[in-house]
Amino acid sequence: MKPLFLLIEILIILGVTIKTIEAEKHSKKQKGRNVTAQVSVNKVKQYLSNVLEQRKPINVISKKENLLENKKNHHKLRRKGIRNKDLWKRNEDHLENQAKNNFTDEGDQLFKMGIKILQQSKSQKQKAEAYIFFAKAADLGNLKAMEKMADALLFGNFGMQNITAAIQLYESLAKEGSYKAQNALGFLSSYGIGMEYNQAKALIYYTFGSAGGSMMSQMILGYRYLSGINVLQNCEVALSHYKKVADYIADKLEKSEGIPVEKVRLTERPENLSSNSEILDWDIYQYYKFLAERGDVQIQVSLGQLHLIGRKGLDQDYYMYLEGNAAAPQNNATAFKYFSMAASKGNAIGLHGLGLLYFYGKGVPVNYAEALKYFQKAAEKGWPNAQFQLGFMYYSGSGVWKDYKLAFKYFYLASQSGQPLAIYYLAEMYATGTGVLRSCRTAVELYKGVCELGHWAEKFLTAYFAYKNGDIDSSLVQYALLAEMGYEVAQSNSAFILESKKAKILEKEKMYPMALLLWNRAAIQGNAFARVKIGDYHYYGYGTKRDYQTAATHYSIAADKYHSAQAMFNLGYMYEHGLGITKDIHLARRLYDMAAQTSPDAHIPVFLALMKLETVHLLQDILFFNFTMRWKWTVLDNTIGPCWDLFVIGLIVAVLIFLLRNRYG
């Protein structure tokens, strides 16, 4: 099914990675993603020979045992005088199927062991050990293990990125009908990463992936039909794709409440890449714990939620009684006790908790009237989950008359705080025209917001850490996949990485055109910085032909719609020099002033630009008023050079420094 040497290579990399992770615990820099490159060739050869030695005896013994078994069966059949060829064939087929089943069972067991280790792991070393089990299971033909290994090779888990090997595995898996492999091949084709850049082929892969059940492919197709990317724009088709994913996400959300993943913008926080807001500082945690022990109910609940799901660097520490789990059995009486204590202090979460107990009849008889009362009290305090529950009661008619207007009101209030299920039900109402005028576009936008809460959004964290640790290729692949799924933040982050030209997985000449494409997609979704970037690319001719007129158009959109100070400044410069638009000194001066008023950071550049503009204007009025405009610019260009305006700015700065030194000297 696949080359044996490929999986052996994977085992080598994983084994070496585990050893180096252990060694690096005492290292200050901890550059764990680059360790595989530092391992000596001798160690790799030694590990390879060990793997081969371990595999040889097993293979030889199993082959000998099978041969002896077959001979014994053959002799038995002869002694009994059985000459029936059909019976011999059935016996042979039975032995072959039995061997195949044993082979499959062993692969399944190894895969399950890897999953168990992965779920329980708290360190990189333990996670890497899980992938050794996946590699062994993949070697036995386990398709799920092969998918895990292909993903690890694509995204660079534990420093083992090898896109060529990943593609080989994906192609093998695709032949077996793996929808995950179909989606991955579509993604790689759409960017031309390790494969030919082919949007038509990518669309085919995505179509097969979505038909097979890939939620990612569904989401990608939804975004493509919404935006008209290599397909005719079709809101209804986009709605169909997004709804399938949103239904899946809503079902997950109803079972367990999650915390949204922070989406760090690389364009806005380049100086803070060493920080990690997803990890709770230990001193802050101790302070929160102190407040919780002193009786701060809000902090108690917040820490309880963080320990419940093991986020922000905290170990999972279950002590939640409403739903119950492996660590703390579900206990309605205890839940009622603590919710009542919190509710008596007017805490919204306690009130909401009591409402849930009465709504679902946990520890108390079902009582919709009591549930409604507590939900209303919690909703009045602005608790979004209670607002959602009220909306759901009126939407479904649970204990109250159906009232879609009230349902819409409470869903809308909850959605303003980002309550995901409220957003989902708003999308349902707009999609079906229930209680509101039907709007396909609004429904799609709402569904899209729900879809972006899927577990795949966790790649924002791994991509960010990869970038912070200097693993640019791994970071880019992860951001690029999220960008393909329609995440605006991922689109701008991918473009930002591409234009830095630090990535090695794409040819240099492809980086600017691809970055421009991604900036454009981010701009369409409302990113003002991306809109300015598109103007810059057309102004300088990055990834496209130099086009001042198109640059001015994009700067105008960013200035008028988003009040971007950078766009105002750039547009002012273009009006000052008549680049792509009619020269207008007065409008240039006005745009410079607007840029300074919009952003304090623009004060110094605007001051220098205005000084240069006024100086040139003064020279025009006093010294050269008898000469034609063409002659004046020709003299300046011939005498000082084409960049004479920069020379004037430098001269102004020098004069200002001289005056300041004389004043304070």
Side-chain angles (χ1 to χ4, degrees):
M1 181 178 286
K2 60 195 178 302
L4 179 61
F5 71 86
L6 176 62
L7 289 167
I8 293 174
E9 179 186 355
I10 295 168
L11 285 167
I12 295 167
I13 297 172
L14 282 168
V16 174
T17 303
I18 290 173
K19 292 178 182 178
T20 49
I21 287 173
E22 285 181 320
E24 284 188 347
K25 282 185 178 179
H26 303 288
S27 172
K28 294 181 180 179
K29 295 183 179 179
Q30 292 188 354
K31 295 182 179 177
R33 294 186 178 272
N34 297 324
V35 293
T36 52
Q38 300 170 1
V39 181
S40 67
V41 178
N42 290 333
K43 284 187 178 180
V44 174
K45 287 182 178 179
Q46 184 181 353
Y47 195 84
L48 175 59
S49 62
N50 290 337
V51 172
L52 291 173
E53 283 299 318
Q54 289 171 5
R55 291 179 58 81
K56 261 186 179 179
I58 296 171
N59 292 335
V60 172
I61 291 168
S62 62
K63 283 180 181 178
K64 286 183 177 179
E65 287 177 350
N66 288 336
L67 186 63
L68 288 170
E69 189 68 25
N70 287 338
K71 283 184 177 180
K72 284 179 182 179
N73 290 331
H74 185 66
H75 288 312
K76 282 180 183 178
L77 289 171
R78 280 194 171 183
R79 280 197 301 269
K80 289 179 180 179
I82 298 173
R83 302 292 183 182
N84 192 320
K85 290 185 179 179
D86 291 336
L87 183 60
W88 170 253
K89 185 71 169 65
R90 285 198 299 271
N91 185 55
E92 197 174 45
D93 290 343
H94 172 72
L95 291 171
E96 187 178 338
N97 290 332
Q98 191 175 18
K100 191 181 291 183
N101 289 335
N102 292 338
F103 199 69
T104 304
D105 290 343
E106 187 181 351
D108 289 342
Q109 288 175 4
L110 287 168
F111 176 75
K112 288 175 183 177
M113 288 173 68
I115 289 293
K116 188 176 180 180
I117 292 171
L118 200 61
Q119 290 173 342
Q120 297 175 352
S121 62
K122 295 179 181 179
S123 67
Q124 292 292 93
K125 178 197 169 186
Q126 290 173 328
K127 288 179 181 178
E129 286 175 350
Y131 276 87
I132 285 185
F133 282 99
F134 292 147
K136 290 178 179 178
D139 191 30
L140 293 172
N142 186 283
L143 295 180
K144 291 182 179 179
M146 288 175 67
E147 288 174 344
K148 283 282 186 185
M149 294 310 304
D151 288 346
L153 289 166
L154 175 61
F155 299 118
N157 298 353
F158 314 110
M160 54 183 286
Q161 190 173 41
N162 186 331
I163 292 173
T164 303
I167 291 171
Q168 291 177 16
L169 277 175
Y170 282 133
E171 288 176 340
S172 176
L173 285 162
K175 291 175 183 177
E176 298 292 330
S178 167
Y179 62 80
K180 290 184 179 179
Q182 298 279 4
N183 182 75
L185 291 171
F187 158 64
L188 293 167
S189 297
S190 68
Y191 281 89
I193 299 175
M195 300 178 68
E196 180 190 2
Y197 176 80
N198 192 322
Q199 289 292 344
K201 187 179 286 187
L203 187 62
I204 293 171
Y205 278 126
Y206 289 142
T207 303
F208 278 111
S210 65
S214 169
M215 291 293 108
M216 286 187 176
S217 290
Q218 290 280 7
M219 197 168 164
I220 290 168
L221 288 174
Y223 177 64
R224 288 196 166 214
Y225 278 102
L226 173 65
S227 307
I229 299 173
N230 297 109
V231 292
L232 290 175
Q233 196 169 15
N234 190 320
C235 183
E236 296 298 335
V237 176
L239 179 68
S240 174
H241 286 293
Y242 271 125
K243 178 171 169 51
K244 290 175 185 176
V245 184
D247 289 344
Y248 168 80
I249 299 299
D251 181 62
K252 295 288 184 184
L253 290 170
E254 285 174 349
K255 293 176 182 176
S256 61
E257 185 179 356
I259 298 176
V261 174
E262 183 190 9
K263 302 174 181 66
V264 180
R265 288 188 184 275
L266 302 182
T267 55
E268 293 179 1
R269 294 177 57 181
E271 73 284 357
N272 296 328
L273 289 178
S274 60
S275 67
N276 175 23
S277 60
E278 278 295 308
I279 303 298
L280 190 64
D281 183 84
W282 182 249
D283 292 332
I284 297 174
Y285 168 69
Q286 291 296 331
Y287 177 64
Y288 282 174
K289 190 176 179 182
F290 169 74
L291 291 178
E293 290 171 352
R294 291 286 298 271
D296 191 312
V297 181
Q298 185 68 45
I299 295 296
Q300 289 171 350
V301 174
S302 297
L303 284 179
Q305 288 175 332
L306 291 173
H307 277 296
L308 177 65
I309 57 176
R311 292 295 293 272
K312 289 189 178 285
L314 301 179
D315 293 336
Q316 283 189 320
D317 186 7
Y318 298 111
Y319 198 67
M320 303 291 283
Y321 293 97
L322 177 59
E323 296 180 358
N325 46 57
Q330 196 268 344
N331 191 316
N332 294 323
T334 308
F336 188 87
K337 172 188 172 182
Y338 286 119
F339 280 138
S340 297
M341 289 171 60
S344 66
K345 297 179 182 179
N347 179 264
I349 301 175
L351 292 164
H352 173 249
L354 285 177
L356 288 175
L357 290 173
Y358 281 111
F359 186 82
Y360 292 108
K362 293 190 174 183
V364 292
V366 172
N367 190 327
Y368 289 128
E370 284 293 296
L372 184 68
K373 180 181 75 175
Y374 284 114
F375 287 149
Q376 285 175 335
K377 288 182 179 180
E380 287 170 4
K381 294 181 178 292
W383 185 240
N385 289 347
Q387 292 167 343
F388 162 71
Q389 287 296 151
L390 283 174
F392 182 76
M393 290 184 76
Y394 285 112
Y395 181 82
S396 60
S398 302
V400 294
W401 292 104
K402 282 187 179 182
D403 190 329
Y404 292 126
K405 287 187 178 179
L406 278 176
F408 180 85
K409 170 190 171 183
Y410 286 114
F411 284 150
Y412 180 78
L413 286 172
S415 71
Q416 296 306 293
S417 300
Q419 216 288 344
L421 286 172
I423 297 171
Y424 170 76
Y425 278 99
L426 278 179
E428 291 279 278
M429 296 182 80
Y430 275 110
T432 57
T434 304
V436 291
L437 186 66
R438 187 179 188 275
S439 172
C440 178
R441 182 78 189 191
T442 305
V444 168
E445 292 292 347
L446 290 167
Y447 277 138
K448 182 175 182 288
V450 175
C451 294
E452 291 182 354
L453 296 173
H455 62 84
W456 39 77
E458 292 182 0
K459 287 197 181 298
F460 273 102
L461 289 179
T462 52
Y464 168 67
F465 287 129
Y467 184 84
K468 187 182 71 171
N469 293 332
D471 195 347
I472 305 301
D473 286 340
S474 173
S475 178
L476 176 58
V477 170
Q478 294 179 77
Y479 278 134
L481 175 60
L482 293 168
E484 187 77 352
M485 296 171 72
Y487 288 89
E488 177 271 311
V489 175
Q491 290 166 350
S492 60
N493 285 356
S494 299
F496 177 79
I497 292 173
L498 282 167
E499 75 172 20
S500 70
K501 293 195 172 184
K502 293 179 181 178
K504 298 176 182 177
I505 56 175
L506 275 179
E507 294 85 351
K508 296 282 185 184
E509 61 272 11
K510 291 182 180 178
M511 290 191 182
Y512 274 138
M514 185 60 69
L516 177 59
L517 177 70
L518 290 165
W519 284 129
N520 189 59
R521 291 181 184 177
I524 291 170
Q525 296 200 71
N527 187 320
F529 183 83
R531 183 66 66 181
V532 175
K533 275 290 185 181
I534 298 170
D536 291 344
Y537 275 52
H538 283 94
Y539 183 90
Y540 294 107
Y542 294 158
T544 185
K545 292 181 180 179
R546 181 174 290 185
D547 188 341
Y548 290 137
Q549 191 172 359
T550 303
T553 300
H554 287 287
Y555 289 146
S556 296
I557 293 171
D560 297 338
K561 191 174 181 180
Y562 304 109
H563 308 290
S564 166
Q566 183 65 61
M568 293 172 187
F569 184 89
N570 293 353
L571 202 56
Y573 185 87
M574 295 186 79
Y575 271 111
E576 179 186 352
H577 296 277
L579 300 172
I581 45 182
T582 306
K583 187 173 182 178
D584 190 329
I585 297 298
H586 298 292
L587 187 53
R589 188 181 290 114
R590 181 184 170 191
L591 284 163
Y592 284 143
D593 289 335
M594 287 172 63
Q597 292 170 8
T598 304
S599 172
D601 294 337
H603 284 169
I604 294 176
V606 165
F607 172 76
L608 294 172
L610 285 173
M611 286 293 292
K612 188 262 295 183
L613 188 149
E614 298 299 341
T615 302
V616 172
H617 193 64
L618 182 67
L619 291 172
Q620 289 174 349
D621 289 344
I622 298 175
L623 301 177
F624 303 106
F625 65 91
N626 289 327
F627 301 96
T628 62
M629 291 295 294
R630 182 180 296 178
W631 190 89
K632 285 187 286 184
W633 296 123
T634 302
V635 169
L636 285 170
D637 285 345
N638 292 337
T639 306
I640 304 175
C643 299
W644 62 268
D645 53 345
L646 298 178
F647 173 78
V648 172
I649 291 175
L651 184 62
I652 293 169
V653 172
V655 171
L656 287 172
I657 293 171
F658 176 76
L659 292 173
L660 288 170
R661 287 185 63 184
N662 285 342
R663 181 176 179 180
Y664 296 105

